[in-house]
Amino acid sequence: PLSLPFAVGQCGNQVGCRFWDLALREHAAVNKKGIYDEALSSFFRNVDTRSGGDDPDIYKGRICSLKARALLIDMEEGVVNEILQGPLRDVFDSKQLITDVSGSGNNWAVGHKLYGYLYRENIVEKLRKTAEHCDCLQCFFIIHSMGGGTGSGLGTFVLNLLEDEFPEVYRFVTSVYPSGEDDVITSPYNSVLAMKELNEHADCVLPIENESLFDIVNKIQHMINSGKLGSTVKQNSLVTSSAGRAKVVQEKPFDAMNNIVANLLLNLTSSARFEGSLNMDLNEININLVPFPPLHYLVSSLTPLYTLADVNVPSRRLDQMFSDAFSRDHQLIQADPKHSLYLACALLVRGNVQISDLRRNIERLKPSLHFVSWNQEGWKTGLCSVPPVGHSHSLLALANNTCVKPTFIELKDRFMKLYKKKAHLHHYLHIDRMEQSCFSEAISSLSDLIEEYSELDATKGGPRTDPSRLKIAV
Amino acid sequence: MSIITVQLGQCGNQIGREVFNAICSDVHGTHGLCSKKENESYHDACKERFFSEEESEVPVARAVLIDMEPKVISQTLSIAARSGFWKYDDRSHFCQKQGSGNNWANGYSVHGPRHKEVIMNLVQKEAEKCDRLGGFFTVMSMAGGTGSGLGAFVTQCLRDAFPTSFILNHVIWPYGTGEVIVQNYNSVLTLSHLYKSSDALLVHENDVVHKICAQLMSIKQISFRDVNQVIAHQLGSVFQPTYTAESGSHYSRNPLGDLMETLVPHPEFKMLGLRNIPQMPENSLAYSTFSWPGLMKHLRQMLIANAKMEEGIDWQVRPPCLGSSVPSSHSTNKPLHFNTSIANLVVLRGKDTHSVDLGSFQDPSLYTSWINPQDAFNAWKTPRAFNKYEKSAALVSNSQFLLKPLDNVVGKAWNMFASKAYIHQYTKFGIEEEDFLDSFTALEQVISSYSIL
């Protein structure tokens, strides 16, 4: 089953770039014979570039030239140009790019209403062409940030478009939320305006907070430097590293953080690409983790963050991986799932981990977690045999948990601070098709969502009365 | 007569492969402990039942492999071929790309109708290879989307296309603590639909087999492969050739028919459980000896105390006293935890099976009052040992074995249904709340019927 990622905006494309780099490395580590296989086909086409021009697809046999199934969209050229000049330049062709020059000025209205309108047909056409090469399209991924203008505005415009053009294909969105200290003043506006679109048009959202990524990167750095670990940490087994890339290239400040998000996406799709004893497809994530349509925000955590140099992994370390997945400092947003209410939880394990390891840990951790009364055993599990590069095993946890609420409340508060003073509103309102009601509807949508989570929280720890069963006449 | 195995979904295909493996390795093993002639008869009977003779060096399994995503089938085919002892027919499979998404409605209402023709063509082709068709054995899990939803649809199609053939559904009950969050919905929908088209449901519970792996097989890091191998061993111990009371000096030709006849006297009662004894790691076999009286004593107590395996049996449970014959409803004299049976089948394999005393299984107090004890119990035997066990016995029981698990699954599903959680995922594909209610009603009926035995 195929996934089609869309990287929109600066952040989206920077993450996307890391993603394709890591994906290629992952497949190279597994695919020793250079044969184009099912696993590769989920993210890459195999193209015959010798014929020049049309580049027909080769479905079997040796790898000729791999092209990412993707669309890269940015309203300024800097990031995309860098990708096209870098080591990934052959992985994309011009038919997959949609760029402009002036950027969106950190303005959601410019991204959504202005560029959306301008580029709609272009995007639809390129989308259709890309989809034509996919014989079984299962889901779309949008990778973007919420705080800016392009990723946030144009990204959510694309989301709407995808729903119109391909209503049956799942829409997963990986959204990077701005931190409180974000240097873009209008990021709360952009984020809340984008949230409304996510509420209404996304099937599943994986919110990520820069603060959390930053904390994780620092934590790893600290652990390495302090020498506390005794043995050395393997360089290419850091969830933040570029997995053995030649050190010649200077790593940019956000690279480590972006690698985490890229690894999240790789792990999320691993079971759909590689074999295992209990496969987990992306469409299964939706049905298991979204009990009610509005509640589709999933908190994610990736463990381990690094692997030690020694190869033997006693089961204690394996169990530690599971414990870490539920700890506050491994979550990719500022949240503590242990103290909030779980609606559902998914665990996708990679590597040499068997069903008994999974069950032992679920039994062990269950008592300390609060699950909603109608889903006391709300666990979805997957076992994929192929571990990520450099690790012997890894775990991705996805939680539908009310701990997302504080993130949304804070966002609402930051929004209201600006909105009450009508600060910067004119920058938005003078864009065609943009009205005051966009703001009021957006904040209303966010408030409703927060209310839904609050209602669920209220049921936590309350008395549990199971509904009476149907009575049958004997 | 031949049995066609229909492997559905990841679980069905993974287990199916282990079953054919177990059967093959049993047949090729040198531990038959019987005469050469007997061994050859056994081999021939097994071949006819499960394999077709084609222009290939190795026997070809009589099977149809179905899945909505390609990885498992591709793995299954290649692992089988690599064994060198048997293989699948390369054309006897059907798969798609996108899976069923753990959604019963997707499997049943979308994939089913869409692919009905192709699938039934494959089944027809296999049926045509059989001199005589003995029936269908479908392998599926209840928890996911393909095995459960598409499996229920295919079972219905089999019933429509082959109205006089026997259909036995082998159903895997998922772990209680969840493999799939909506597994209880999927299970309720599957069971209620299968009950309409199938002749019987033979159940294996993952939790139980897992315990067997941990406690009896002493496996430290239990994988699904380990679980599936135990299941395959248990199935083999029932379905490998045997002599029945009626078959005389030939191996019985109609195992599915015989099974249904002995175990399913009434269509309301179709839930069959399986127990076997002994079960141990292969390298312990050489150091163990068993006596038939000991084995039978344990097996009988496993039956009446509803023990899942030969360890941890509650020996306090006793059958009720006879003499106070009570009408079938509200039999208050039945002691707690006593497992009442409708019918039982014991399969004995190996040394001295002809001399085994099975009287204790014919005790009328084991059975519900509306069954004639003479009809309630049957035994199949063969002197040919199975899978390196000098003596082994299996019990297939139509009793209250599955009452509690069924009640649990229905209870959890109902609890979730009351809050309407996840329902939108099913209505999206055409399964409405009324369909759920119908399924719940049907299963509460089954639960009630088994409760008042």
Side-chain angles (χ1 to χ4, degrees):
Chain A
L2 304 183
S3 315
L4 198 52
F6 289 77
V8 189
Q10 177 176 18
C11 168
N13 278 289
Q14 280 172 344
V15 171
C17 180
R18 298 312 317 129
F19 171 73
W20 279 293
D21 187 45
L22 289 175
L24 281 170
R25 264 165 232 289
E26 189 170 82
H27 283 280
V30 171
N31 188 336
K32 302 285 187 207
K33 296 188 191 150
I35 303 287
Y36 181 67
D37 58 13
E38 286 272 358
L40 263 174
S41 77
S42 53
F43 284 124
F44 298 96
R45 292 166 52 207
N46 187 20
V47 159
D48 187 353
T49 44
R50 294 163 301 177
S51 57
D54 201 27
D55 295 353
D57 276 32
I58 308 170
Y59 292 100
K60 281 189 171 145
R62 291 205 68 77
I63 293 172
C64 184
S65 174
L66 291 175
K67 296 269 181 240
R69 297 183 196 278
L71 283 185
L72 285 76
I73 304 176
D74 202 355
M75 293 295 102
E76 51 182 13
E77 295 178 314
V79 178
V80 174
N81 277 345
E82 240 188 88
I83 296 176
L84 294 179
Q85 280 153 25
L88 289 178
R89 61 180 164 277
D90 293 323
V91 174
F92 303 101
D93 65 41
S94 58
K95 304 190 214 100
Q96 297 168 265
L97 311 171
I98 298 168
T99 55
D100 202 312
V101 284
S102 10
S104 302
N106 286 326
N107 186 326
W108 182 93
V110 173
H112 196 98
K113 304 279 185 187
L114 185 73
Y115 284 122
Y117 189 73
L118 267 174
Y119 282 98
R120 187 198 173 95
E121 267 178 53
N122 191 345
I123 296 173
V124 172
E125 197 196 308
K126 293 204 162 130
L127 164 63
R128 290 233 183 90
K129 275 245 156 56
T130 313
E132 254 165 45
H133 292 290
C134 304
D135 63 356
C136 169
L137 190 51
Q138 194 179 61
C139 83
F140 295 116
F141 276 102
I142 294 183
I143 311 168
H144 72 150
S145 76
M146 299 284 277
T150 303
S152 170
L154 188 55
T156 51
F157 180 83
V158 170
L159 181 62
N160 270 278
L161 223 148
L162 292 175
E163 188 174 37
D164 290 337
E165 298 290 317
F166 295 88
E168 274 149 35
V169 179
Y170 287 101
R171 295 173 293 282
F172 272 79
V173 188
T174 305
S175 306
V176 181
Y177 282 69
S179 66
E181 294 86 41
D182 197 82
D183 51 6
V184 176
I185 299 180
T186 49
S187 65
Y189 282 164
N190 297 329
S191 302
V192 173
L193 288 163
M195 273 290 286
K196 173 167 179 290
E197 306 302 316
L198 295 183
N199 283 344
E200 292 175 13
H201 305 289
D203 287 309
C204 244
V205 179
L206 301 167
I208 317 257
E209 282 186 272
N210 265 340
E211 260 173 271
S212 301
L213 297 179
F214 191 67
D215 288 343
I216 289 173
V217 170
N218 277 345
K219 186 176 141 102
I220 296 175
Q221 249 346 93
H222 182 70
M223 287 302 251
I224 297 175
N225 294 342
S226 74
K228 262 191 203 159
L229 297 171
S231 13
T232 43
V233 173
K234 290 202 287 181
Q235 197 51 34
N236 66 345
S237 66
L238 296 177
V239 88
T240 59
S241 86
S242 302
R245 183 153 63 141
K247 276 311 199 172
V248 178
V249 181
Q250 264 288 26
E251 288 214 345
K252 293 189 249 53
F254 282 103
D255 264 2
M257 289 161 64
N258 291 337
N259 275 332
I260 299 177
V261 185
N263 272 307
L264 166 68
L265 292 173
L266 272 184
N267 285 343
L268 189 62
T269 56
S270 59
S271 186
R273 290 177 289 134
F274 301 116
E275 44 102 36
S277 61
L278 189 57
N279 295 339
M280 182 154 103
D281 249 347
L282 291 161
N283 50 3
E284 294 171 28
I285 291 177
N286 194 32
I287 190 185
N288 283 288
L289 293 174
V290 183
F292 301 101
L295 305 176
H296 57 251
Y297 292 85
L298 307 178
V299 181
S300 49
S301 69
L302 277 178
T303 52
L305 298 174
Y306 46 77
T307 318
L308 302 183
D310 57 63
V311 184
N312 294 318
V313 185
S315 76
R316 217 192 81 228
R317 287 235 184 84
L318 190 63
D319 287 11
Q320 186 60 46
M321 178 177 79
F322 280 91
S323 300
D324 286 341
F326 292 90
S327 78
R328 171 199 271 275
D329 52 4
H330 280 76
Q331 308 304 313
L332 299 189
I333 65 166
Q334 302 279 290
D336 188 3
K338 265 187 151 148
H339 291 100
S340 302
L341 189 66
Y342 275 90
L343 303 180
C345 185
L347 297 175
L348 212 182
V349 193
R350 299 181 66 173
N352 183 18
V353 184
Q354 301 301 342
I355 187 68
S356 56
D357 301 311
L358 194 50
R359 291 177 43 73
R360 175 179 72 249
N361 281 286
I362 290 179
E363 290 304 311
R364 186 173 62 84
L365 293 164
K366 221 169 71 142
S368 60
L369 305 171
H370 308 277
F371 272 82
V372 74
S373 69
W374 42 260
N375 202 2
Q376 289 282 297
E377 274 100 21
W379 297 87
K380 163 69 180 159
T381 54
L383 292 165
C384 172
S385 313
V386 178
V389 176
H391 292 255
S392 55
H393 50 265
S394 74
L395 171 64
L396 165 66
L398 293 174
N400 193 338
N401 186 307
T402 57
C403 67
V404 282
K405 202 177 69 171
T407 300
F408 297 151
I409 291 179
E410 257 194 61
L411 188 60
K412 183 180 168 183
D413 289 344
R414 281 187 246 136
F415 175 95
M416 292 310 293
K417 250 197 190 141
L418 292 176
Y419 193 58
K420 275 200 197 108
K421 296 184 279 179
K422 301 210 189 310
H424 308 284
L425 271 187
H426 55 285
H427 291 303
Y428 291 77
L429 296 176
H430 87 255
I431 304 291
D432 261 350
R433 290 173 290 277
M434 187 70 187
E435 285 155 23
Q436 184 93 27
S437 61
C438 295
F439 281 86
S440 51
E441 278 166 23
I443 197 66
S444 170
S445 173
L446 182 56
S447 300
D448 286 344
L449 184 65
I450 293 172
E451 181 56 33
E452 295 251 16
Y453 283 109
S454 292
E455 277 175 24
L456 279 166
D457 269 336
T459 67
K460 180 167 161 257
R464 188 170 149 205
T465 42
D466 289 340
S468 5
R469 297 268 290 271
L470 284 178
K471 297 263 184 299
I472 300 294
V474 170
Chain B
M1 277 182 158
S2 308
I3 298 176
I4 295 177
T5 300
V6 183
Q7 304 179 182
L8 295 145
Q10 172 165 27
C11 171
N13 279 291
Q14 283 175 187
I15 289 182
R17 166 180 93 224
E18 296 297 346
V19 173
F20 284 109
N21 249 351
I23 290 174
C24 248
S25 94
D26 172 44
V27 162
H28 289 281
T30 51
H31 304 260
L33 293 185
C34 58
S35 69
K36 185 155 175 265
K37 183 159 170 281
E38 185 72 64
N39 212 16
E40 273 169 17
S41 276
Y42 185 80
H43 192 148
D44 290 340
C46 170
K47 279 278 289 296
E48 194 211 353
R49 197 174 278 192
F50 296 113
F51 298 92
S52 63
E53 204 68 71
E54 292 174 29
E55 274 105 56
S56 93
E57 309 89 59
V58 290
V60 178
R62 297 187 192 277
V64 179
L65 289 70
I66 302 172
D67 201 358
M68 291 297 101
E69 65 114 339
K71 296 194 296 288
V72 181
I73 286 190
S74 139
Q75 229 192 347
T76 302
L77 291 172
S78 71
I79 291 179
R82 282 206 305 263
S83 75
F85 285 122
W86 66 283
K87 58 180 237 188
Y88 287 104
D89 182 336
D90 290 321
R91 298 150 299 175
S92 216
H93 66 266
F94 175 72
C95 69
Q96 290 290 277
K97 298 248 181 187
Q98 74 271 53
S100 300
N102 285 170
N103 190 323
W104 192 94
N106 196 2
Y108 185 84
S109 307
V110 178
H111 289 309
R114 195 179 283 172
H115 306 302
K116 174 177 174 177
E117 217 181 301
V118 179
I119 292 174
M120 291 311 285
N121 274 342
L122 286 178
V123 172
Q124 191 60 44
K125 279 212 177 68
E126 277 298 326
E128 276 160 21
K129 284 193 227 166
C130 305
D131 278 341
R132 280 194 304 162
L133 179 60
F136 299 95
F137 182 69
T138 75
V139 192
M140 63 226 273
S141 128
M142 298 198 301
T146 300
S148 71
L150 181 59
F153 185 83
V154 168
T155 302
Q156 221 167 277
C157 295
L158 288 174
R159 175 53 71 217
D160 292 336
F162 301 88
T164 54
S165 292
F166 294 104
I167 301 177
L168 177 65
N169 290 106
H170 178 234
V171 180
I172 301 299
W173 215 264
Y175 287 100
T177 49
E179 298 163 26
V180 170
I181 294 176
V182 290
Q183 63 186 39
N184 297 314
Y185 281 167
N186 293 338
S187 300
V188 164
L189 291 163
T190 303
L191 291 169
S192 59
H193 277 78
L194 287 182
Y195 231 78
K196 290 188 266 193
S197 351
S198 170
D199 290 305
L201 279 61
L202 180 62
V203 174
H204 267 108
E205 298 165 74
N206 270 350
D207 280 303
V208 171
V209 183
H210 192 106
K211 276 215 187 76
I212 291 176
C213 287
Q215 288 177 232
L216 299 181
M217 306 296 279
S218 307
I219 303 174
K220 292 269 178 311
Q221 195 190 24
I222 300 168
S223 65
F224 269 116
R225 182 131 195 269
D226 297 319
V227 171
N228 294 342
Q229 285 177 336
V230 169
I231 292 175
H233 173 86
Q234 292 196 341
L235 289 173
S237 68
V238 174
F239 292 107
Q240 281 292 56
T242 52
Y243 298 98
T244 64
E246 296 81 25
S247 71
S249 57
H250 302 287
Y251 274 110
S252 130
R253 310 293 300 282
N254 189 11
L256 287 184
D258 292 338
L259 190 92
M260 300 308 173
E261 205 186 339
T262 72
L263 289 176
V264 190
H266 188 297
E268 182 66 9
F269 301 92
K270 290 180 179 173
M271 307 288 296
L272 308 178
L274 210 166
R275 301 282 184 272
N276 75 332
I277 192 170
Q279 179 82 48
M280 57 176 40
E282 200 176 296
N283 45 25
S284 307
L285 277 174
Y287 306 104
S288 319
T289 48
F290 298 96
S291 70
W292 280 118
L295 290 174
M296 288 302 100
K297 187 162 173 235
H298 277 74
L299 195 61
R300 183 178 184 264
Q301 193 62 23
M302 279 160 74
L303 169 65
I304 65 183
N306 197 354
K308 312 287 189 179
M309 58 179 147
E310 66 209 66
E311 263 178 37
I313 300 176
D314 184 353
W315 290 95
Q316 299 301 320
V317 179
R318 290 257 179 277
C321 307
L322 275 189
S324 51
S325 60
V326 191
S328 59
S329 51
H330 311 296
S331 338
T332 47
N333 70 330
K334 288 267 171 24
L336 274 171
H337 309 307
F338 175 76
N339 179 47
T340 308
S341 300
I342 291 175
N344 287 307
L345 167 69
V346 166
V347 185
L348 302 174
R349 298 177 186 275
K351 199 158 161 229
D352 302 328
T353 46
H354 55 273
S355 63
V356 181
D357 177 7
L358 292 165
S360 62
F361 282 91
Q362 289 162 314
D363 181 351
S365 65
L366 264 51
Y367 299 93
T368 185
S369 55
W370 50 264
I371 282 276
N372 185 347
Q374 252 91 309
D375 302 328
F377 177 74
N378 274 279
W380 296 351
K381 304 180 191 184
T382 172
R384 207 273 188 186
F386 174 67
N387 209 4
K388 304 188 179 121
Y389 284 81
E390 183 200 61
K391 301 186 181 84
S392 62
L395 165 70
V396 186
S397 176
N398 189 344
S399 64
Q400 294 170 319
F401 268 170
L402 293 158
L403 178 52
K404 195 146 168 273
L406 184 59
D407 190 59
N408 274 344
V409 163
V410 172
K412 288 190 214 166
W414 183 248
N415 195 11
M416 191 179 269
F417 183 70
S419 71
K420 299 285 173 278
Y422 299 103
I423 298 295
H424 71 281
Q425 306 276 11
Y426 291 82
T427 53
K428 195 158 66 171
F429 292 104
I431 296 297
E432 305 294 333
E433 286 188 31
E434 294 89 69
D435 299 308
F436 274 93
L437 282 171
D438 287 342
S439 290
F440 278 114
T441 309
L443 292 183
E444 292 286 8
Q445 182 66 63
V446 175
I447 291 171
S448 168
S449 304
Y450 271 101
S451 299
I452 58 174
L453 282 180

